Amino acid sequence: MGQQEGNKAAQYEQIGSVLIIMPTKELDHCTAVDVRQEADGQIERGGALHLLFDFSKIRFMDSSGIGVIMGRYKKVIFQGGNIACCGVEPEIDRILTLSGLYRIMPRFENRREALAALGKNKPQGIKA
């Protein structure tokens, strides 16, 4: 049997072509493998083009978390997708700034703004 919902390292929700990944535990070496595997499975099964990382439930991320974000970015960028983040608290903001992730992942105040921005980034040749 799979993990119980309350035990998962992240929650996932797909809205249109955007997969929302909301870590519910610290995004560190203990949870990174689970988040990586589940996110990849969701991307492959659901056909998500864009990713939105919602960090509103966590206050810590280490280099393993940065690796999760970079790996998922590489996965969707080759499909013509993009990534973004929202719900960034000061602790996570510091990590994202120092790591340089804001160069590839814009920050939005909330999901609504992020989803609107990602929805405008449709690959060429695909009509809405």
Side-chain angles (χ1 to χ4, degrees), residues 4 8 11 19 23 34-35 56 64 78 106:
Q4 292 179 329
K8 285 194 170 193
Q11 295 172 345
L19 175 63
D34 290 342
V35 174
S56 59
S64 298
F78 289 120

Side-chain angles (χ1 to χ4, degrees), residues 37-52:
Q37 289 175 343
E38 184 65 27
D40 286 353
Q42 294 271 347
I43 292 166
E44 291 163 14
R45 285 189 304 273
L49 181 61
H50 307 294
L51 300 179
L52 172 57

Side-chain angles (χ1 to χ4, degrees), residues 14 17-21 36 39-44 46-53 68-84 104-106 118 121-123 126:
Q14 188 156 341
S17 63
V18 180
L19 175 63
I20 301 168
I21 302 170
R36 182 182 310 118
D40 286 353
Q42 294 271 347
I43 292 166
E44 291 163 14
L49 181 61
H50 307 294
L51 300 179
L52 172 57
F53 289 90
V68 168
I69 295 168
M70 287 299 300
R72 294 339 85 207
Y73 169 74
K74 290 176 182 176
K75 196 168 202 58
V76 299
I77 198 73
F78 289 120
Q79 309 175 141
N82 285 299
I83 66 172
I104 62 165
M105 181 173 65
L118 287 170
N121 293 326
K122 292 182 176 52
I126 296 179

Side-chain angles (χ1 to χ4, degrees), residues 11 24 34 39 42 54 66 80-81 86-87 96 108-110 113 119:
Q11 295 172 345
T24 56
D34 290 342
Q42 294 271 347
D54 183 341
I66 293 166
C86 67
L96 295 175
F108 296 91
E109 288 302 311
N110 56 52
E113 290 177 9

Side-chain angles (χ1 to χ4, degrees), residues 20-31:
I20 301 168
I21 302 170
M22 178 188 279
T24 56
K25 298 180 179 179
E26 295 179 342
L27 193 48
D28 60 15
H29 69 281
C30 294
T31 60

